[in-house]
């Protein structure tokens, strides 16, 4: 089967869900490269190698295409992030590495551009900024909160409050500097193997140990 990044042989066409996903991957790149206002359905159709009629059959407006792209970004992001238990057996180390991974992903250049794009459209298309927050921040808070509740026998409200505190303190200062171009974004694809190079894990571990229940 031809992969998403491989050229098609003459006469081959994507259809159905395969075409829809291909359009979303192309549209994601178009929105990040040009911004929402300058991105056009014509450009997406041409880049995706499909007709405008086919594009509109899947997405009836640019707004709805943009919201669907945010859903795709959520899927890709959460697949990279995983859950705290995937990082280590020791709970404190698992939480520290999870927070570090969140910071690494959020300061990766494509994610920074996505965040800027969502902020730029927040007033005109508030549903998109709400969707972005739910897809990235709220979903991450929920994953960490569920882990804290399970591993530290915490109440749900306490777990949610601690998860938000940990992630905000670990991520927001550097993310804000990166969004404002005070600090350079991570250029290369963030991998587990480069986490210690991209993030000050010593500082994250110190923050986590001080905040976790004894």
């Amino acid at each position: 089967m031809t992969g998403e990044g491989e050229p098609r042989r003459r006469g081959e066409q994507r259809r159905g869900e395969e075409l829809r996903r291909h359009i979303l991957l192309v549209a994601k790149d178009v929105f990040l490269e040009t911004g929402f206002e300058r991105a056009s359905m014509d450009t997406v159709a041409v880049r995706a190698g499909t007709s405008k009629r086919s594009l509109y059959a899947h997405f009836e407006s640019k707004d709805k295409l943009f919201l669907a792209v945010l859903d795709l970004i959520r899927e890709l992001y959460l697949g990279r992030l995983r859950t705290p238990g995937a990082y280590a057996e020791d709970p404190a180390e698992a939480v520290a590495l999870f927070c570090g991974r969140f910071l690494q992903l959020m300061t990766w250049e494509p994610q920074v551009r996505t965040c800027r794009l969502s902020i730029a459209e927040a007033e005109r298309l508030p549903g998109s900024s709400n969707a972005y927050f739910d897809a990235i921040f709220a979903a991450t808070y929920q994953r960490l909160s569920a882990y804290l509740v399970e591993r530290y026998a915490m109440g749900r409200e306490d777990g949610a409050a601690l998860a938000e505190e940990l992630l905000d303190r670990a991520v927001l200062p550097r993310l804000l500097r990166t969004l404002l171009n005070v600090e350079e974004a991570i250029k290369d694809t963030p991998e587990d193997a480069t986490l210690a190079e991209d993030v000050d894990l010593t500082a994250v571990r110190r923050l986590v140990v001080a905040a976790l229940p004894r």
Side-chain angles (χ1 to χ4, degrees), residues 28-100:
K28 175 175 68 69
D29 292 340
V30 172
F31 282 127
L32 291 182
E33 289 168 11
T34 67
F36 182 89
E37 287 298 330
R38 292 175 59 194
S40 71
M41 297 293 269
D42 284 337
T43 300
V44 173
V46 170
R47 293 265 294 265
T50 191
S51 66
K52 282 184 65 176
R53 179 179 178 181
S54 182
L55 174 59
Y56 277 103
H58 286 277
F59 308 99
E60 64 185 39
S61 68
K62 188 168 73 167
D63 286 358
K64 291 193 175 181
L65 175 60
F66 185 56
L67 291 173
V69 165
L70 291 179
D71 285 340
L72 173 66
I73 289 172
R74 177 183 188 276
E75 173 194 332
L76 298 174
Y77 163 77
L78 292 179
R80 288 180 179 276
L81 178 66
R82 306 188 304 281
T83 59
Y87 290 91
E89 290 294 328
D90 177 69
E93 181 67 1
V95 171
L97 293 177
F98 181 80
C99 291

Side-chain angles (χ1 to χ4, degrees), residues 11 14 23 43 49 59 63 77 84 106 110 116 123 171:
R14 296 179 174 87
I23 290 171
T43 300
F59 308 99
D63 286 358
Y77 163 77
M106 288 308 300
R116 287 173 179 155
E123 185 172 346
V171 174

Side-chain angles (χ1 to χ4, degrees), residues 108-119:
W108 180 34
E109 187 171 48
Q111 190 63 264
V112 171
R113 287 158 63 190
T114 303
C115 191
R116 287 173 179 155
L117 179 59
S118 182
I119 292 170

